Amino acid sequence: MKNSFKFAVAAVAATLACGAFAQDFPAKDRPITIVVPFAAGGPTDRVARDLAEALRKPMGGANVVIDNAVGAGSSIGTAKVARATPDGYTLLLNHIAMATMPALYRKLSFNVANDFEYLGILNDVPMTLIARPTLPANNYKELTAWIAQNKGKVNLGNAGLGAASHLCGLMFQNAIKTEMTTIAYKGTAPAMTDLIGGQIDLMCDQTTNTTSQIEGKKVKAFAVTTAKRLTTPSLKDLPTLAEAGVPNFEVTIWHGLYAPKGTPAPVLAKINEAVKAALKDPEFIKKQEGLGAVVAADKRIEPAEHKKFVQAEMDKWGAVIKAAGTYAD
Ligand code: ASP
């Protein structure tokens, strides 16, 4: 057989196999794993578990499970997905860290732009500045006075370099020109436990993790990080950081879904369609909105828009991080 003919036959066979595979995707007997690169019970995990439930029906009843692959500000879980078999059965749900990690880490084993397929933005989540319940301050002014009195002794929890809480904490320290001791956890779920217990003083975290703790008076809340006040009943009285006296402080955390590069296009299309349906699920919307999140719609769920947005965020936060001069190896 001539070589060119052999290659043509092989190419046709591969296309047919891929088509058949895509047609059968997802197989009834194989779970789809969403890798969450932060601790269970935290805000990223929360979005993933709500999404997994909402995906089940549009994915034809498939079992969607969560794998918390934690550590190093989400770079461990993200690397795991970059290396996974590109067959649609391993996905990654990550947040703004996809745009901050390239500037924060000198060495990453993956390339955010080249090693992933983009499956859509899922939501936008505001952050809140919160403190241990015993901290003797009851508003933002008293908080900054307390920080000034305790210079050198204030602890700030976060979910590791590149995490949303790290970024927000970095911006807060820059804004008030005060360096704090940062304590890195594998996610803000364990950090929240320590904040409630008084082992750390402060944290900046997504409303999807903080709303119920604020409502239950387990933590003190001082401000929100969005340009406008929130409408969630238990958060609507919190000032924006700009109102509280920190101009130009605006940070909103978005989450996105990814697959390893090379996942077949028909499989990606099926997942993207299912994501679009899940984001319209009234139960999913109700759960997310109740925690202060805004579910993504329309163009934002398109893979090309998602990729464009991540690049723009990389440029934006890369400049902020460079100015702050924070790096990890
Ligand atoms: N809220 C965390 C962060 O700071 C992530 C998490 O624990 O889910 O990025």
Side-chain angles (χ1 to χ4, degrees), residues 89-153:
Y89 289 96
T90 307
L91 306 174
L92 167 74
L93 193 152
N94 201 356
H95 62 14
I96 197 168
M98 292 300 272
T100 57
M101 281 187 289
L104 280 165
Y105 288 84
R106 285 205 177 89
K107 278 181 255 149
L108 281 178
S109 66
F110 52 85
N111 180 301
V112 171
N114 300 335
D115 294 346
F116 298 93
E117 307 286 356
Y118 290 64
L119 287 160
I121 299 280
L122 306 170
N123 66 4
D124 293 289
V125 193
M127 299 193 89
T128 43
L129 179 63
I130 55 173
R132 62 177 159 86
T134 48
L135 195 138
N138 290 312
N139 55 48
Y140 182 79
K141 209 169 154 215
E142 289 176 15
L143 174 70
T144 46
W146 180 85
I147 292 171
Q149 280 157 17
N150 289 278
K151 253 194 176 145
K153 288 189 272 177

Side-chain angles (χ1 to χ4, degrees), residues 3-4 22-23 27 37 39 44 46 94 101 107 109 126 128 134 138-139 141 169 172 181 189 199 275 279 318:
N3 259 355
S4 56
Q23 236 170 34
T44 316
R46 182 72 189 246
N94 201 356
M101 281 187 289
K107 278 181 255 149
S109 66
T128 43
T134 48
N138 290 312
N139 55 48
K141 209 169 154 215
F172 181 57
T181 306
Q199 281 86 12
V275 169
L279 299 197

Side-chain angles (χ1 to χ4, degrees), residues 38-39 42-45 95 127 159 163-166 186-189 204-206:
F38 291 107
T44 316
D45 185 70
H95 62 14
M127 299 193 89
S165 46
H166 169 248
K186 292 193 165 138
T188 44
C204 194
D205 199 23
Q206 286 101 305

Side-chain angles (χ1 to χ4, degrees), residues 34 36 38-56 64-69 93 284 287-288:
I34 298 181
V36 171
F38 291 107
T44 316
D45 185 70
R46 182 72 189 246
V47 179
R49 284 177 202 270
D50 287 354
L51 182 73
E53 223 173 289
L55 276 176
R56 194 178 300 261
V64 184
V65 301
I66 305 299
D67 170 17
N68 297 93
L93 193 152
F284 179 77
K287 282 187 210 160
Q288 290 286 302

Side-chain angles (χ1 to χ4, degrees), residues 2-18:
K2 274 223 170 104
N3 259 355
S4 56
F5 181 70
K6 249 190 341 203
F7 288 139
V9 170
V12 169
T15 309
L16 288 177
C18 178

Side-chain angles (χ1 to χ4, degrees), residues 98-100 102-103 112-113 118 309-319:
M98 292 300 272
T100 57
V112 171
Y118 290 64
F309 178 71
V310 172
Q311 188 56 56
E313 287 281 282
M314 261 196 245
D315 296 343
K316 173 177 163 182
W317 294 114

Side-chain angles (χ1 to χ4, degrees), residues 129 140 143-144 147 156 166-178 180 202 204 241 246 249:
L129 179 63
Y140 182 79
L143 174 70
T144 46
I147 292 171
L156 178 72
H166 169 248
L167 180 69
C168 183
L170 199 65
M171 288 169 69
F172 181 57
Q173 291 173 83
N174 280 349
I176 64 165
K177 299 187 176 50
T178 307
M180 301 174 196
L202 292 171
C204 194
L241 272 165
V246 190
F249 194 112

